[in-house]
Amino acid sequence: MPEDEFDWIKDHTPENYNHKGLIEGIGDDAAVYGYESDYDEILCVDTMIEGVHFKKQTMSPEDIGHKALAVNISDIAAMGGIPVYYIVSIALPADWSDEELSGIYQGMNDLGQMYCMDMIGGDTVSSPHDLMISVTVHGRVEKGCHLVRRSAAPGDIVFLTNPTGRSAAGLQLLLQRGREAYYSEIERELLSYHQKPVPRVDAGRVISALHVSASLNDISDGLASEVNELAEASNVSIELYKSQIPIAEELHSFADKSFWDWIFYGGEDFELVGTITETAWPMLQKNMAEQGLTIYQIGRVKEGAHLVTLLDGEQKITLEKQGYNHFK
Amino acid sequence: MPEDEFDWIKDHTPENYNHKGLIEGIGDDAAVYGYESDYDEILCVDTMIEGVHFKKQTMSPEDIGHKALAVNISDIAAMGGIPVYYIVSIALPADWSDEELSGIYQGMNDLGQMYCMDMIGGDTVSSPHDLMISVTVHGRVEKGCHLVRRSAAPGDIVFLTNPTGRSAAGLQLLLQRGREAYYSEIERELLSYHQKPVPRVDAGRVISALHVSASLNDISDGLASEVNELAEASNVSIELYKSQIPIAEELHSFADKSFWDWIFYGGEDFELVGTITETAWPMLQKNMAEQGLTIYQIGRVKEGAHLVTLLDGEQKITLEKQGYNHFK
């Protein structure tokens, strides 16, 4: 496994592509290409593996299907696009039943229908050990309106669609007690953020419809890591203000130390984090509110070579790009 | 694992799709959808898993990359399309080195460049046990010109692009001796049909350019199985004539019994098999010859409920739809 996937990808990205219609190749949440049409097309794939991304102890078959599709819809959302079609590839070990397999498809179907998506193909092969599910999603976005990570500029507002950290809190509960145990209502909420995350397509659409300079990224590997990606891709530094970071109510019963860790390094929130010009920020707030969607200012883009710092009163802490590891 | 994947897919195929632009959903080699353009778009995915589809003993990293992309290009070829972009998802176990991973990408790149394709994205995750590689390919075909399995009609000629069985012969050699052993020139040819199969995009393009009623399928699971798929999808019966089935020269040193088994049940040939009206057959032969491509008549489409029979003089043998299993 390459030590830094980001560097590894950079080394393996071709300098030139063959097709002139390619708009975004390797390196963002999804690829974008265009033909003779008013829309550009988006394509992305994500794979989930038993024992790495989920366990039977933490996720039902329906949850697994839901999440495998959700992570891809989230990539489309992070490009400002509309998800349209998906294709599924499942490698199934002998200890998974046909009912469980059907449950996985049910979970995908239930989520896909919420976005009017169609499953248009796929294959099922046998797997010697672990269940693997790989989902490809095709989406669309109005020509020239897709959002990338590299558009952050000094002076921009850094925004976040919803509080982070609840998925990680839910995972901790699941690892402690298993998914069949008793949970309070609040705890079940947290479980749901982990098992059935909701991709923020609507929010992505509001941002891309503004037609202003904005950058966008979805939070799969933790807020700290994804803000670092924005900073690196845009060659800027970013300051986050601890007093502005939203804290989910459900987290208040946990110790301070745990929930701040989850908020910055928890992973699998599938919220959107991005940047927008100060001029456009009020309009974004207004449009989001009109759609019944939340958005929080959490920081500012600064000049400099992609340092991400958290300001807490007088204190300055560097937020490292620390990858999220599900079960460690 | 569902006992009959074909039945299982049918049970899980929705009766209605949400998107009107969808032309071919689940059930053929690839999905096809269209927008406001002179071209329709094709999307397919295929997954290869260590221990199921390949072993280190039989395939180098470059071979694995080549084949993972080739099987998908072959699906595009079977729709009569042009492959354009691909996305890769790899799950990598700890015992695979960065060099081996680079080799896999090199194999894909070498093949992709032959078709002017671009790799436009993907992800690498860790895998607890087996290497898994899932490739998604996006292609295009002139509006309305894609080829499906369900268009075979009684009276049609059944054709095949090249002899089958060489991949299976190569696999047998590899399983006996490993890929580092000494091989004669002819044996190396056979190995190459297994390790570096050539998808038949040119042939698919010649067939789709005819604008006549034709059906098409690529041979991943053996000639017998794929002809059964054509018969089932078209609700016809098919007769193959043993005297017309091409036998590759490289197979003559093997026992009769082995090579006929490989020809019909060997799998992973990635040739194209299809049907075309008798009227159009001479034109197809002529156009293929002009492109320096081979094509063989191997049978006829008949009325009836999808029985596939092999005629050998006076003898009639039913060719069962027997799935191909790599290592059994």
Side-chain angles (χ1 to χ4, degrees), chain A residues 291-313:
Chain A
Q291 301 280 322
L293 302 169
T294 53
I295 194 151
Y296 301 86
Q297 176 178 351
I298 60 167
R300 279 278 184 178
V301 181
K302 300 279 169 182
E303 306 260 358
H306 39 88
L307 199 67
V308 177
T309 43
L310 178 69
L311 274 69
D312 181 11

Side-chain angles (χ1 to χ4, degrees), chain A residues 66-221:
Chain A
H66 175 106
K67 199 166 190 170
L69 181 56
V71 299
N72 282 287
I73 297 177
S74 182
D75 283 328
I76 301 286
M79 305 304 282
I82 309 158
V84 182
Y85 297 124
Y86 64 103
I87 293 191
V88 181
S89 188
I90 296 184
L92 198 72
D95 63 331
W96 284 71
S97 68
D98 285 8
E99 286 66 38
E100 288 173 310
L101 182 59
S102 289
I104 293 174
Y105 277 100
Q106 192 59 54
M108 280 190 284
N109 188 59
D110 291 348
L111 182 67
Q113 286 300 337
M114 287 176 55
Y115 296 90
C116 259
M117 297 178 73
D118 288 313
M119 180 171 82
I120 59 170
D123 65 342
T124 307
V125 296
S126 64
S127 173
H129 298 96
D130 316 298
L131 187 123
M132 304 187 202
I133 174 166
S134 187
V135 177
T136 303
V137 169
H138 160 79
R140 303 188 89 194
V141 62
E142 294 78 4
K143 197 164 272 303
C145 294
H146 70 279
L147 298 163
V148 293
R149 299 176 187 159
R150 66 172 175 276
S151 308
D156 282 359
I157 304 280
V158 181
F159 62 76
L160 172 67
T161 49
N162 280 285
T164 54
R166 285 179 286 198
S167 170
L171 175 60
Q172 165 152 325
L173 292 172
L174 286 162
L175 288 174
Q176 282 167 351
R177 295 187 227 161
R179 67 186 167 86
E180 308 287 0
Y182 168 80
Y183 290 101
S184 72
E185 201 172 319
I186 285 179
E187 287 171 337
R188 281 204 305 274
E189 284 267 320
L190 292 170
L191 262 49
S192 157
Y193 277 95
H194 180 74
Q195 294 170 327
K196 293 243 161 67
V198 178
R200 302 300 180 189
V201 175
D202 291 347
R205 296 295 294 157
V206 170
I207 302 161
S208 77
L210 282 175
H211 303 288
V212 299
S213 178
S215 69
L216 200 61
N217 203 1
D218 76 323
I219 305 179
S220 46
D221 286 339

Side-chain angles (χ1 to χ4, degrees), chain B residues 62-81:
Chain B
E62 288 76 9
D63 295 338
I64 294 164
H66 175 106
K67 199 166 190 170
L69 180 56
V71 299
N72 282 288
I73 297 176
S74 182
D75 283 328
I76 301 285
M79 304 304 282

Side-chain angles (χ1 to χ4, degrees), chain B residues 1-273:
Chain B
M1 193 77 188
E3 264 190 42
D4 186 330
E5 201 192 333
F6 201 75
D7 284 347
W8 198 91
I9 288 169
K10 267 194 286 197
D11 290 348
H12 286 73
T13 301
E15 282 176 34
N16 297 296
Y17 289 101
N18 292 308
H19 291 280
K20 292 211 170 59
L22 185 63
I23 299 163
E24 299 292 331
I26 294 162
D28 219 288
D29 295 295
V32 181
Y33 49 88
Y35 294 117
E36 53 294 336
S37 155
D38 294 339
Y39 283 81
D40 290 326
E41 309 197 12
I42 311 174
L43 200 60
C44 60
V45 66
D46 249 308
T47 301
M48 284 182 14
I49 299 191
E50 188 179 1
V52 179
H53 300 93
F54 63 86
K55 295 177 176 176
K56 277 193 175 184
Q57 174 196 352
T58 59
M59 304 268 282
S60 73
E62 288 76 9
D63 295 338
I64 294 164
H66 175 106
K67 199 166 190 170
L69 180 56
V71 299
N72 282 288
I73 297 176
S74 182
D75 283 328
I76 301 285
M79 304 304 282
I82 309 158
V84 182
Y85 297 124
Y86 64 102
I87 293 192
V88 180
S89 187
I90 296 183
L92 198 72
D95 63 331
W96 284 70
S97 68
D98 286 8
E99 285 67 37
E100 288 173 310
L101 181 60
S102 290
I104 293 174
Y105 277 99
Q106 191 60 52
M108 280 189 284
N109 187 59
D110 291 347
L111 181 66
Q113 287 299 339
M114 286 177 54
Y115 296 89
C116 257
M117 297 177 73
D118 288 312
M119 181 171 83
I120 59 171
D123 65 343
T124 307
V125 297
S126 64
S127 173
H129 298 97
D130 316 297
L131 186 123
M132 185 224 60
I133 173 164
S134 186
V135 178
T136 302
V137 169
H138 160 79
R140 304 188 88 195
V141 62
E142 293 78 3
K143 196 165 272 306
C145 294
H146 69 281
L147 298 163
V148 292
R149 298 176 188 160
R150 67 173 174 275
S151 308
D156 281 0
I157 304 280
V158 181
F159 62 76
L160 173 67
T161 49
N162 281 285
T164 54
R166 285 178 285 198
S167 169
L171 176 59
Q172 166 153 324
L173 292 172
L174 286 162
L175 288 173
Q176 283 168 351
R177 296 187 226 161
R179 67 184 166 86
E180 307 288 1
Y182 168 80
Y183 290 101
S184 71
E185 201 171 318
I186 286 180
E187 289 170 336
R188 282 203 305 275
E189 284 267 318
L190 292 171
L191 263 50
S192 157
Y193 278 94
H194 180 74
Q195 295 171 325
K196 293 243 161 68
V198 179
R200 301 302 180 188
V201 175
D202 290 347
R205 296 295 294 157
V206 170
I207 302 161
S208 78
L210 282 176
H211 303 289
V212 299
S213 179
S215 69
L216 200 60
N217 203 1
D218 75 323
I219 305 179
S220 45
D221 285 340
L223 181 58
S225 174
E226 308 293 347
V227 172
N228 267 283
E229 280 190 358
L230 289 174
E232 283 174 27
S234 304
N235 199 27
V236 294
S237 281
I238 288 178
E239 282 181 2
L240 301 184
Y241 309 119
K242 199 171 178 186
S243 61
Q244 294 185 338
I245 308 282
I247 304 166
E249 269 189 39
E250 297 93 333
L251 296 184
H252 282 297
S253 63
F254 294 90
D256 249 41
K257 197 190 162 308
S258 304
F259 76 64
W260 282 113
D261 205 45
W262 292 331
I263 284 171
F264 288 113
Y265 299 109
E268 298 200 306
D269 293 297
F270 303 111
E271 296 299 335
L272 299 178
V273 62

